[in-house]
Amino acid sequence: MENIPTALEKPSHVLFVAALIFLAVMVVLCLVRAIIGPKVADRIVATNMMGTMIMVMIAILALMLQEGYLVDICLIYAMISFLAVVCLTKVYMGVYQEQKMKKRRKKEKEKNDMD
């Protein structure tokens, strides 16, 4: 008797599947944005968006399959995704500041050579 679907289970199942398909398409589009760029900031934002959408997908699967452990996996993934974005941002800022310092030194050197 427990396997008989109620009247609300089928529409909600269709809604969950539609949401998962929509999110999968959006993740692919974000992956394209992360690959194409053109700036590093665009890539970081796309990576963050992909992580957020994957967390939503895991949460929808947890509801759909009625498995509580998937919520724990979602929380762990959220922490890892946040840490990855922070690390990428830190690396990007370090590279940016290093390039800025090289340009400044080059300008100072050219100025000193002209004097």
Side-chain angles (χ1 to χ4, degrees), residues 55 72-86:
M55 286 184 287
D72 297 334
I73 291 172
C74 184
L75 290 172
I76 292 169
Y77 189 85
M79 289 185 284
I80 292 171
S81 177
F82 174 74
L83 184 62
V85 170
V86 168

Coordinates of all heavy atoms in Angstrom, one line a residue, residues 55 72-86:
M55 N 24.2 22.8 -5.9 CA 23.7 22.6 -4.5 C 22.2 22.5 -4.6 O 21.5 21.7 -3.9 CB 24.1 23.7 -3.6 CG 25.6 23.6 -3.2 SD 26.0 24.9 -2.0 CE 26.0 26.4 -3.1
D72 N 23.0 16.6 3.8 CA 24.3 16.7 4.4 C 25.4 16.8 3.3 O 26.3 17.6 3.4 CB 24.7 15.4 5.2 CG 23.7 15.3 6.4 OD1 23.2 16.3 6.9 OD2 23.5 14.1 6.9
I73 N 25.3 16.1 2.2 CA 26.2 16.2 1.1 C 26.1 17.6 0.5 O 27.1 18.2 0.1 CB 25.9 15.1 0.0 CG1 26.3 13.8 0.6 CG2 26.6 15.4 -1.3 CD1 25.8 12.6 -0.3
C74 N 24.9 18.1 0.4 CA 24.7 19.5 -0.1 C 25.4 20.5 0.8 O 26.1 21.4 0.2 CB 23.2 19.8 -0.2 SG 22.8 21.4 -0.9
L75 N 25.3 20.4 2.1 CA 26.0 21.3 3.0 C 27.5 21.2 2.8 O 28.2 22.2 2.8 CB 25.6 21.1 4.4 CG 24.2 21.5 4.7 CD1 23.8 21.0 6.1 CD2 24.0 22.9 4.6
I76 N 28.0 20.0 2.7 CA 29.5 19.8 2.5 C 29.9 20.4 1.2 O 30.9 21.1 1.1 CB 29.8 18.3 2.6 CG1 29.6 17.8 4.0 CG2 31.3 18.1 2.2 CD1 29.7 16.3 4.2
Y77 N 29.1 20.2 0.2 CA 29.4 20.8 -1.1 C 29.4 22.3 -1.1 O 30.2 23.0 -1.7 CB 28.5 20.3 -2.2 CG 28.9 20.7 -3.6 CD1 29.8 19.9 -4.3 CD2 28.4 21.8 -4.2 CE1 30.1 20.2 -5.6 CE2 28.7 22.2 -5.5 CZ 29.6 21.4 -6.2 OH 30.0 21.7 -7.4
A78 N 28.5 22.9 -0.3 CA 28.4 24.3 -0.2 C 29.7 24.9 0.4 O 30.3 25.9 0.0 CB 27.2 24.7 0.7
M79 N 30.2 24.2 1.5 CA 31.5 24.6 2.1 C 32.7 24.5 1.1 O 33.5 25.4 1.1 CB 31.7 23.8 3.4 CG 30.8 24.2 4.5 SD 31.2 23.3 6.0 CE 30.6 21.7 5.7
I80 N 32.7 23.4 0.4 CA 33.8 23.2 -0.5 C 33.8 24.2 -1.7 O 34.8 24.8 -2.1 CB 33.8 21.8 -1.1 CG1 34.2 20.8 0.1 CG2 34.8 21.6 -2.2 CD1 34.0 19.4 -0.3
S81 N 32.6 24.5 -2.2 CA 32.4 25.5 -3.2 C 32.8 26.9 -2.8 O 33.4 27.6 -3.5 CB 30.9 25.4 -3.7 OG 30.7 26.4 -4.7
F82 N 32.4 27.2 -1.6 CA 32.7 28.5 -1.1 C 34.2 28.7 -0.9 O 34.8 29.7 -1.3 CB 32.0 28.8 0.3 CG 32.5 30.0 1.0 CD1 32.0 31.3 0.5 CD2 33.3 30.0 2.1 CE1 32.4 32.4 1.1 CE2 33.7 31.1 2.7 CZ 33.3 32.4 2.2
L83 N 34.9 27.6 -0.4 CA 36.3 27.7 -0.2 C 37.0 27.8 -1.6 O 38.0 28.5 -1.7 CB 36.8 26.4 0.5 CG 38.2 26.3 0.9 CD1 38.6 27.5 1.8 CD2 38.5 25.0 1.5
A84 N 36.5 27.1 -2.6 CA 37.1 27.1 -3.9 C 37.0 28.5 -4.5 O 38.0 29.0 -5.1 CB 36.4 26.1 -4.8
V85 N 35.9 29.2 -4.3 CA 35.7 30.5 -4.9 C 36.6 31.5 -4.1 O 37.3 32.4 -4.8 CB 34.3 31.0 -4.8 CG1 34.1 32.4 -5.1 CG2 33.4 30.1 -5.8
V86 N 36.8 31.4 -2.8 CA 37.6 32.2 -2.1 C 39.1 32.0 -2.5 O 39.8 33.0 -2.7 CB 37.5 32.0 -0.6 CG1 38.6 32.7 0.2 CG2 36.1 32.5 -0.1

